């Protein structure tokens, strides 16, 4: 018996393809075009080949911004993933408090990124901010507008406050999906809490944790709004991440060629790491 194929269904896909092409492919092609050409105004372009890529990859400014970006992402993952798992383990699995905890965990994620940066900017001001004034009153020399270490600590604390909830919710979803029979068997065998976590909960959570790490890597590596509003890349260039440096090059200096080459290198780094995580996820599916 031959199966009837309804080709009219493709008409439902065409609007989505057109929207993706308009929002993604066309801007990407524009960036590629700028990355291999030079312009001196009046829309007059000259072919430059890979000159901009060579300049960017040899630029100490790019190396510094990339190093700060990698450092920030590494610190964020080291803090937020274990902290999110720990919080998820303490959340109730049954009862009326489940909804309360889930709502409280979701609240930071609902706040717009620019509002988060503005909130922490005001709160951390050394003279009138609640956080800054309290720390200085306790004897700490804190001024994130002048001290690079204070700026970094404030930036990390802001991101941990804003995005740890995402790891918590994903980890909690993985925990509640574990069948109760595993815990009953562990209780009969007299397993201690650490053994239950190591041999039951953690292996069953590896898929959601892989997704959580991937999402947090992508978000933290491409972060721009919050640090831009909070520190603007300062003091000096101490918190100038790669995203902030890219915007300064493109809009501040209007160097479209180097900015386009930097954005493509930026994109390839994210794509490469995402592919690695995807490969790990597929291996987890097969195991």
């Amino acid at each position: 018996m031959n199966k009837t194929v309804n080709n009219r269904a493709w008409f439902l896909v065409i609007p989505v393809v057109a929207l993706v092409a308009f929002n993604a492919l066309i801007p990407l092609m524009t960036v590629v075009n700028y990355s291999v050409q030079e312009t001196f105004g009046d829309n007059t372009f000259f072919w430059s080949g890979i000159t901009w890529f060579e300049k960017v990859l040899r630029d100490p400014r790019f190396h510094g911004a990339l190093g700060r970006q990698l450092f920030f992402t590494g610190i964020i993952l080291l803090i937020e993933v274990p902290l999110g798992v720990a919080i998820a383990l303490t959340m109730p699995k049954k009862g009326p408090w489940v909804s309360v905890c889930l709502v409280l965990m979701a609240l930071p994620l609902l706040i717009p990124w620019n509002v988060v940066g503005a909130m922490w900017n005001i709160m951390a001001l050394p003279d009138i901010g609640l956080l800054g004034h309290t720390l200085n009153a306790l004897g700490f020399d804190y001024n994130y507008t002048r001290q690079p270490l204070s700026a970094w600590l404030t930036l990390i604390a802001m991101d941990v406050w804003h995005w740890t909830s995402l790891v918590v919710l994903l980890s909690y979803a993985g925990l509640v999906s574990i069948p109760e029979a595993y815990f009953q068997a562990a209780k009969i065998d007299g397993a201690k809490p650490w053994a239950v976590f190591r041999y039951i909960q953690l292996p069953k959570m590896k898929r959601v944790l892989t997704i959580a790490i991937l999402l947090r890597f992508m978000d933290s590596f491409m972060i721009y709004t919050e640090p831009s509003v909070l520190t603007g890349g300062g003091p000096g260039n101490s918190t100038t991440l790669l995203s902030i440096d890219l915007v300064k090059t493109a809009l501040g200096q209007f160097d479209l060629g180097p900015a386009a080459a930097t954005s493509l290198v930026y994109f390839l780094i994210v794509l490469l790491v995402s592919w690695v995580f995807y490969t790990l996820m597929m291996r987890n599916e097969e195991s």
Side-chain angles (χ1 to χ4, degrees):
M1 182 177 180
N2 295 329
K3 185 177 180 180
T4 304
V5 178
N6 185 6
N7 292 322
R8 289 180 296 179
W10 286 103
F11 288 101
L12 300 176
V13 182
I14 291 177
V16 178
V17 174
L19 183 62
V20 171
F22 181 78
N23 290 328
L25 294 180
I26 295 178
L28 178 61
M29 292 300 101
T30 303
V31 172
V32 173
N33 179 54
Y34 276 108
S35 68
V36 295
Q37 298 194 64
E38 170 67 292
T39 178
F40 297 101
D42 298 328
N43 286 328
T44 303
F45 292 90
F46 303 90
W47 176 260
S48 61
I50 61 173
T51 302
W52 296 128
F53 290 95
E54 294 177 346
K55 179 181 177 181
V56 167
L57 294 177
R58 295 175 180 175
D59 190 359
R61 173 178 168 179
F62 171 78
H63 298 159
L66 178 60
R68 288 186 290 269
Q69 189 78 64
L70 291 172
F71 175 76
F72 174 77
T73 299
I75 292 295
I76 289 302
L77 292 177
L78 288 175
I79 295 176
E80 293 183 6
V81 175
L83 180 61
V85 173
I87 295 175
L89 289 171
T90 62
M91 291 175 59
K93 306 301 186 293
K94 298 178 181 179
W97 287 104
V98 173
S99 300
V100 176
C101 293
L102 291 177
V103 170
L104 291 177
M105 285 295 104
L107 283 178
L109 302 176
L110 301 178
I111 303 176
W113 300 341
N114 57 338
V115 176
V116 171
M119 286 170 48
W120 279 79
N121 189 320
I122 297 173
M123 186 174 62
L125 288 174
D127 298 326
I128 62 174
L130 177 61
L131 176 63
H133 180 74
T134 302
L135 290 176
N136 284 298
L138 293 174
F140 296 96
D141 184 19
Y142 173 82
N143 189 337
Y144 81 95
T145 62
R146 297 181 180 180
Q147 301 166 351
L149 179 59
S150 298
W152 269 101
L153 292 176
T154 307
L155 183 60
I156 292 171
M158 177 188 65
D159 196 88
V160 169
W161 175 84
H162 191 196
W163 288 108
T164 301
S165 296
L166 178 64
V167 183
V168 173
L169 295 176
L170 290 172
S171 300
Y172 184 80
L175 287 172
V176 297
S177 65
I178 301 175
E180 189 64 26
Y182 288 94
F183 299 103
Q184 294 176 356
K187 185 176 181 180
I188 294 173
D189 294 337
K192 295 182 178 180
W194 170 250
V196 173
F197 172 73
R198 180 179 179 183
Y199 296 106
I200 297 178
Q201 293 173 320
L202 188 59
K204 296 296 181 181
M205 291 171 57
K206 63 181 181 180
R207 295 179 182 177
V208 295
L209 284 180
T210 304
I211 296 174
I213 295 173
L214 173 59
L215 292 177
R216 286 310 302 129
F217 166 79
M218 294 176 63
D219 287 336
S220 61
F221 197 76
M222 297 187 296
I223 190 173
Y224 170 75
T225 305
E226 295 100 313
S228 178
V229 174
L230 178 63
T231 65
N237 291 324
S238 59
T239 59
T240 301
L241 306 179
L242 186 57
S243 56
I244 298 177
D245 184 69
L246 175 59
V247 173
K248 288 182 177 180
T249 303
L251 301 182
Q253 304 172 7
F254 210 68
D255 289 336
L256 299 182
T262 302
S263 64
L264 288 177
V265 174
Y266 202 169
F267 170 74
L268 290 176
I269 294 174
V270 176
L271 186 64
L272 176 62
V273 176
S274 300
W275 175 79
V276 171
F277 275 101
Y278 176 78
T279 303
L280 293 176
M281 289 172 60
M282 290 299 100
R283 289 181 180 177
N284 290 337
E285 291 286 344
E286 296 174 356
S287 60

